Amino acid sequence: MGNQVEKLTHLSYKEVPTADPTGVDRDDGPRIGVSYIFSNDDEDMEPQPPPQGPNGGGVALPDGGDGPSLPRPQPYDPRLHEVECSVFYRDECIYQKSFSPGSAALSTYTPENLLNKCRPGDLVEFVSQAQYPHWAVYVGNFQVVHLHRLEVSNSFLTDASQGRRGRVVNDLYRYKPLSPSAVVRNALAHVGAKERELSWRNSESFAAWCRYGKREFKIGGELRIGKQPYRLQIQLSAQRSHTLEFQSLEDLIMEKRRNDQIGRTAVLQELATHLHPEPDEGDSDAARTTPPPGRPPAPGREEEDREAVVH
């Protein structure tokens, strides 16, 4: 890669200029997102998730086992664990995850039931608590193509799920898709590509590129020229949102996936701690932001920080 470049990874929100969570800016300063230069969120290098029950929750230890009895986890509920957000390129909304009435269904299914809903060319997302979401392209015959352990692999959908629940996510990105046959061709053409041959940081970028064919999903697909054309709008509540700005779509996807991995509660707590307004002396209407305390690394962080090769 020529000169050695120090690897940059996610910064805490206290190091990021931001705005008031009410959505009303108190100054004209920019809200800058985090730049993940030469960083790789390789969620597939994490340990496999624990065995899950039929509803997506963990399996409790049986009575009389070697360890203490654990409470049975609640079934996986996207509304509890996932972050509502929208992605804008300038003024155009290019991605939206919303639980509002009439939005795309985000219900999850067991891998076996998910097979009945898949058609060749569909994008599939597998989700679980405290795990990076894993994306794949369904290519027919019960199989998917996905970026797994730094290699593009062809696997059975049930194997690729690793026991996680999944759903079809064709409607999250709002780009015009390629034809199903073209999506399948894109995916199959890269089976076997690994490590230095890869042009994507994670499974989501690879799967989305297969379906939409846009270079923005590739490593280095956009020049970083100082502008911040992408905005990630995180929905804090029905009336409040918070926005971060990014130079590239791949940087934004990395941040979005980190939020998915740590979960909705942690994201809201993180932002609330940093953005909680406190009145200044003599001015009850003024507010300032409080930096959050240093947070411990999330599970699998060391895997997210693996260096990716830039072509």
Side-chain angles (χ1 to χ4, degrees):
M1 292 177 54
N3 295 333
Q4 294 294 318
V5 179
E6 182 178 357
K7 182 167 56 179
L8 302 180
T9 56
H10 185 274
L11 307 175
S12 66
Y13 281 110
K14 68 181 178 181
E15 302 169 85
V16 181
T18 56
D20 185 80
T22 60
V24 179
D25 294 345
R26 295 181 179 272
D27 56 52
D28 295 328
R31 301 180 299 277
I32 308 300
V34 178
S35 181
Y36 293 85
I37 303 175
F38 307 122
S39 173
N40 182 35
D41 123 358
D42 184 6
E43 81 282 353
D44 303 305
M45 295 299 291
E46 298 174 1
Q48 290 193 4
Q52 297 192 2
N55 292 323
V59 177
L61 293 176
D63 293 338
D66 294 335
S69 178
L70 298 177
R72 184 176 298 275
Q74 295 296 317
Y76 182 83
D77 184 349
R79 295 176 181 270
L80 295 178
H81 304 300
E82 299 184 28
V83 179
E84 287 189 87
C85 64
S86 300
V87 176
F88 295 86
Y89 177 71
R90 295 193 170 94
D91 295 328
E92 177 187 4
C93 181
I94 60 174
Y95 173 101
Q96 185 174 44
K97 178 189 286 187
S98 173
F99 302 115
S100 61
S103 60
L106 292 175
S107 300
T108 60
Y109 306 90
T110 63
E112 294 75 15
N113 289 336
L114 182 61
L115 279 170
N116 298 325
K117 299 181 177 295
C118 290
R119 299 292 182 268
D122 283 349
L123 297 187
V124 176
E125 180 186 35
F126 301 109
V127 291
S128 180
Q129 297 179 46
Q131 296 283 326
Y132 290 101
H134 185 70
W135 287 49
V137 179
Y138 186 74
V139 296
N141 297 322
F142 313 109
Q143 297 179 59
V144 296
V145 172
H146 57 134
L147 180 55
H148 176 64
R149 297 186 182 276
L150 297 179
E151 180 177 359
V152 178
S153 305
N154 191 353
S155 311
F156 285 108
L157 183 147
T158 50
D159 293 336
S161 72
Q162 295 185 342
R164 290 173 284 191
R165 296 174 68 85
R167 58 197 175 204
V168 175
V169 288
N170 293 337
D171 296 327
L172 290 182
Y173 283 99
R174 296 187 171 184
Y175 294 124
K176 181 179 179 180
L178 304 175
S179 67
S181 59
V183 176
V184 172
R185 282 198 305 271
N186 282 344
L188 292 175
H190 289 84
V191 170
K194 62 178 64 176
E195 298 178 351
R196 293 183 179 274
E197 302 170 331
L198 296 175
S199 298
W200 308 271
R201 294 192 188 279
N202 50 63
S203 59
E204 178 175 343
S205 293
F206 169 72
W209 175 84
C210 290
R211 182 169 175 83
Y212 303 106
K214 297 185 73 66
R215 60 179 172 80
E216 288 86 342
F217 290 108
K218 287 188 171 184
I219 295 174
E222 297 175 281
L223 294 176
R224 304 172 188 274
I225 56 177
K227 296 181 179 180
Q228 308 283 334
Y230 291 96
R231 291 181 289 124
L232 174 62
Q233 186 178 77
I234 301 171
Q235 202 67 33
L236 304 178
S237 67
Q239 291 79 30
R240 298 189 304 163
S241 64
H242 178 67
T243 300
L244 292 174
E245 297 182 347
F246 295 82
Q247 288 182 317
S248 69
L249 182 58
E250 62 172 331
D251 284 347
L252 186 149
I253 289 174
M254 294 284 284
E255 174 68 8
K256 180 174 69 67
R257 290 173 61 77
R258 186 198 74 94
N259 291 343
D260 288 335
Q261 190 265 337
I262 67 174
R264 181 176 185 273
T265 299
V267 170
L268 297 185
Q269 289 176 346
E270 194 174 90
L271 289 173
T273 301
H274 173 45
L275 302 172
H276 180 65
E278 295 182 4
D280 291 336
E281 293 183 4
D283 185 0
S284 59
D285 293 330
R288 61 182 176 89
T289 58
T290 305
R295 63 167 179 262
R301 276 297 296 168
E302 67 277 6
E303 308 304 342
E304 180 181 348
D305 293 342
R306 288 178 58 88
E307 184 171 346
V309 177
V310 178
H311 300 281

